[in-house]
Amino acid sequence: MKKKLIALLTVLALTAFAGCESKDAETTTTTASETTTAVAEAVTTTTTEAVTTTAAQTETDKKLFKGTGYTLSIDSEKWLDYTEYLDYLAEITEDTDIAKYGNVSAEDVKNVADAIYYNISNDSNFNVTVVELGARMDDASLNELSSMLEEQYNAIPGYSCGKCETVYVNGYRALKAVITSDASVTGRAMKVEMYLFYPGTKQVCLTYTAAAADFDTTVADFEEVLNTISF
């Protein structure tokens, strides 16, 4: 069960990303990437033609997303909401190597997937998964999970997980993990930044995924959203 939960943390992000190892997933995510590029071009044109953008106007672009037990403020000028496609993405996760590693089914993903957004600048994305654990996560349990994440991800061929650390985001305790994969398993070298929160008896995980070469380009956009989380 723990192996499945760990696989669930990244399977959606990897499936949603253009160039993942599943042929069907690659077709789907490339389409999403092309759509993202088209919207990005439209936004760029609109921005160029605009005379000025006031602080008040910028604020109106930020929309409050109410998820399952949490809220996020998301700038619609930077992020496209693909949440309605979560069920379809879930269906194609079963073909990915990491899903097979953790015995993760499409139904498993549907049960935990809560939101997914694509950045208009590239095909980086972030998703949110929510799992009911049935118990609160104390410090000892968090330390145990940290070691388990490092051990399990480093055991998957082509993946690497650095040392997990406990951080505070907007006043909330979270476990931060950074995972990388090489091109042999995901089509392109990729980098994932993951934040796991434990409000009450739930696990709420935000996962940002990008090509390793593009990671730094839009990670600040993701962290802008991350820092608005509220439970």
Side-chain angles (χ1 to χ4, degrees):
M1 180 58 69
K2 290 179 179 179
K3 187 175 182 179
K4 176 176 285 191
L5 285 174
I6 288 174
L8 273 169
L9 294 177
T10 53
V11 67
L12 178 61
L14 297 177
T15 304
F17 192 83
C20 68
E21 68 265 48
S22 163
K23 188 172 293 184
D24 289 336
E26 183 172 352
T27 301
T28 302
T29 52
T30 298
T31 301
S33 179
E34 289 170 352
T35 303
T36 301
T37 301
V39 174
E41 290 173 351
V43 171
T44 301
T45 301
T46 303
T47 304
T48 302
E49 292 174 352
V51 178
T52 57
T53 302
T54 65
Q57 287 173 320
T58 301
E59 279 302 310
T60 61
D61 292 332
K62 293 183 179 180
K63 301 184 183 302
L64 190 66
F65 177 85
K66 295 184 179 180
T68 305
Y70 65 93
T71 60
L72 294 168
S73 180
I74 302 173
D75 190 340
S76 59
E77 290 291 310
K78 296 178 180 178
W79 297 98
L80 295 176
D81 187 355
Y82 271 78
T83 301
E84 64 181 293
Y85 298 107
L86 277 172
D87 280 357
Y88 185 65
L89 287 171
E91 293 293 339
I92 60 178
T93 57
E94 292 178 331
D95 289 333
T96 61
D97 289 344
I98 196 166
K100 293 173 183 176
Y101 167 83
N103 194 28
V104 172
S105 68
E107 197 61 32
D108 292 327
V109 178
K110 289 178 184 179
N111 289 337
V112 303
D114 212 56
I116 187 165
Y117 282 78
Y118 281 84
N119 195 282
I120 64 168
S121 300
N122 52 34
D123 48 4
S124 64
N125 67 78
F126 76 85
N127 73 71
V128 188
T129 57
V130 181
V131 177
E132 175 57 56
L133 300 176
R136 291 181 177 274
M137 182 72 75
D138 58 22
D139 289 340
S141 298
L142 202 64
N143 289 334
E144 181 182 347
L145 175 62
S146 177
S147 298
M148 187 170 61
L149 283 171
E150 294 168 22
E151 179 182 345
Q152 289 290 329
Y153 277 115
N154 287 325
I156 306 173
Y159 290 83
S160 177
C161 178
K163 185 171 179 57
C164 299
E165 60 178 326
T166 300
V167 297
Y168 283 85
V169 179
N170 202 24
Y172 301 102
R173 182 189 62 171
L175 184 64
K176 177 183 177 181
V178 177
I179 299 152
T180 58
S181 65
D182 60 47
S184 66
V185 294
T186 47
R188 280 189 276 176
M190 293 167 60
K191 188 173 180 179
V192 173
E193 186 170 274
M194 184 186 301
Y195 291 82
L196 297 94
F197 297 88
Y198 294 93
T201 59
K202 285 184 168 56
Q203 173 183 277
V204 178
C205 180
L206 275 71
T207 305
Y208 165 72
T209 307
D214 296 332
F215 184 90
D216 292 338
T217 304
T218 47
V219 67
D221 292 344
F222 164 67
E223 291 174 346
E224 181 180 72
V225 175
L226 174 72
N227 287 324
T228 68
I229 196 165
S230 179
F231 299 104

